[in-house]
Amino acid sequence: AKIHIYDINLDSALFYLDKNKELIQKHHSNDIALVSDNYFYRSMAYHYADQFYIAVEEIKKGIAILENYSGNIPAELAKNYFQLSTYLNEIAAHDEALEYQKKWLEVRIKEFGPDSYIAGDSYQSIGITYSYKKEDHLALEYYNKALQIFSNEVVIPYNRLAVVNSNLGFCYDRLN
C-alpha cells in the first residue's frame, strides 16, 4: 500500500522515508532517481508541516544528486526544479525561484521543444513569479509567450488559455 505523506504526521512520514532510504541504499543505491526521490518526498513532508526552509534544503540535496549525475534523467530534474521554485515562491524568495524556473524551462524545451504546451506551462509559471515581484512588464512577456503557445496547440488546452488570459488581465489592470 502506498503511503501518502499528507495523510500522516511529520514524524511518521520521516520514519517511513528513512526506512525507504535504507532499502534504497541496500538494494538500489545506483538508481539516482530513487535516491533523489527520497529527498523530494522528504521535502514534501516538511512542506506539508509548514517547515518551508527545511523543505527547500531537502529538495536541494536531491537536486544536487541529479545535477552531478552524468546520465540523462531530465524529467526528474524538471520535477525537482519546479517543486523547489514553488517552495521558494512560498517563502518570497522570488529571485531564486526564477533561477530554478528558468532551469525547469530549459529542460522542458530541450525535451519537448520550444512550442510545446509543456514549455508554455513553464513560461506561465515564470510570469506568475514576476507578478509576485510586481515586475508586470516581465510577467506580461512570459504570459504572452505562454498564450502564443497555448493558442497554437492543435488540441486547445482551454484551462491553460483561461488561466493565462486571467493572468494577463491582472497585469494589465495593475499597470493601468
Side-chain angles (χ1 to χ4, degrees):
K2 255 189 165 178
I3 297 172
H4 297 282
I5 59 176
Y6 47 81
D7 291 335
I8 55 181
N9 69 39
L10 179 61
D11 291 335
S12 294
L14 294 175
F15 172 80
Y16 287 110
L17 287 166
D18 287 342
K19 292 289 183 194
N20 185 52
K21 185 177 181 180
E22 290 172 16
L23 290 171
I24 291 168
Q25 288 172 338
K26 185 175 181 180
H27 301 288
H28 304 285
S29 61
N30 293 329
D31 189 334
I32 299 303
L34 274 177
V35 172
S36 72
D37 244 11
N38 191 269
Y39 289 106
F40 179 85
Y41 288 111
R42 289 180 71 80
S43 78
M44 289 180 70
Y46 283 111
H47 176 259
Y48 289 127
D50 294 330
Q51 295 184 27
F52 301 115
Y53 292 94
I54 298 173
V56 166
E57 294 309 313
E58 287 294 318
I59 201 163
K60 281 183 176 181
K61 291 174 189 174
I63 288 172
I65 291 168
L66 292 168
E67 287 179 337
N68 291 322
Y69 176 63
S70 61
N72 187 18
I73 44 177
E76 285 297 312
L77 204 47
K79 174 183 82 174
N80 280 270
Y81 285 154
F82 172 75
Q83 195 66 39
L84 176 56
S85 72
T86 301
Y87 297 161
L88 291 166
N89 273 329
E90 288 181 9
I91 60 173
H94 303 307
D95 289 329
E96 192 176 358
L98 282 168
E99 184 183 320
Y100 285 98
Q101 285 173 324
K102 289 178 181 179
K103 288 181 176 187
W104 176 48
L105 173 62
E106 184 181 314
V107 170
R108 293 182 117 194
I109 286 174
K110 186 184 273 188
E111 285 296 302
F112 302 102
D115 298 324
S116 71
Y117 75 88
I118 292 181
D121 288 340
S122 297
Y123 285 122
Q124 169 131 263
S125 290
I126 293 169
I128 290 168
T129 300
Y130 278 121
S131 285
Y132 290 153
K133 293 179 61 164
K134 296 188 177 23
E135 293 182 23
D136 291 316
H137 291 292
L138 289 169
L140 287 171
E141 178 183 325
Y142 282 91
Y143 290 148
N144 279 316
K145 287 180 183 180
L147 181 62
Q148 182 179 5
I149 290 168
F150 296 154
S151 296
N152 291 329
E153 281 290 311
V154 175
V155 177
I156 298 173
Y158 290 108
N159 60 329
R160 289 180 169 87
L161 281 170
V163 171
V164 76
N165 277 303
S166 173
N167 288 334
L168 280 164
F170 175 76
C171 278
Y172 282 123
D173 286 348
R174 201 158 62 185
L175 286 170
N176 293 322

